[in-house]
Amino acid sequence: QVQLVESGGGSVQAGGSLRLSCAGVGTTYRTYHIMAWFRQAPGKEREGVAAVNIRTGSTYYADAVKGRFTISHDSEKRTMHMQLNSLKPEDTSIYYCAARTLCDECDPWSSFGFWGQGTQVTVSS
């Protein structure tokens, strides 16, 4: 059963912007504490990009995107967004939405049990 649905990927030139969205459409949404974006480029490992605690609103960013990407969450619409500004060619990846339940001892990018299908972001120079 699909739980997370991403949208908003596309192709832009360097310096451009995109907005990604992730809707929580399944019955597990009520169990989520953290929602996050990960990305994976061809030949590279998946990496965490940004995360938001949907109960408190606190956010966390990877160093590579700090100051350029902004993550947010709309609880009424059960949707997470990420604004991507000042995009660089190295941001080109498939971006995945993910969610996890309460895990006080987990490091920021681990133990995500729910995943979307991914959306492609391509940045040309």
Side-chain angles (χ1 to χ4, degrees):
Q1 183 182 9
V2 175
Q3 303 294 333
L4 298 168
V5 178
E6 301 108 329
S7 61
S11 298
V12 296
Q13 291 191 326
S17 298
L18 285 172
R19 188 180 192 227
L20 306 183
S21 297
C22 173
V25 299
T27 57
T28 58
Y29 176 82
R30 61 180 177 83
T31 69
Y32 300 164
H33 279 251
I34 306 291
M35 295 183 73
W37 290 99
F38 289 76
R39 67 185 181 185
Q40 187 167 22
K44 294 188 176 181
E45 291 188 357
R46 185 176 63 197
E47 61 178 355
V49 177
V52 58
N53 184 317
I54 67 172
R55 308 296 175 101
T56 68
S58 61
T59 58
Y60 184 84
Y61 295 93
D63 288 344
V65 305
K66 282 181 181 177
R68 299 189 298 122
F69 293 6
T70 303
I71 193 171
S72 62
H73 177 259
D74 183 334
S75 58
E76 288 190 13
K77 296 182 179 179
R78 299 172 42 152
T79 301
M80 175 179 65
H81 303 285
M82 186 164 70
Q83 181 67 36
L84 292 65
N85 295 331
S86 303
L87 282 161
K88 305 175 181 179
E90 51 263 44
D91 294 318
T92 296
S93 287
I94 299 175
Y95 283 71
Y96 296 92
C97 169
R100 76 180 190 199
T101 58
L102 180 62
C103 185
D104 290 335
E105 302 300 318
C106 294
D107 67 54
W109 306 120
S110 70
S111 302
F112 284 83
F114 304 97
W115 293 86
Q117 79 285 358
T119 185
Q120 177 71 46
V121 171
T122 302
V123 185
S124 57
S125 57

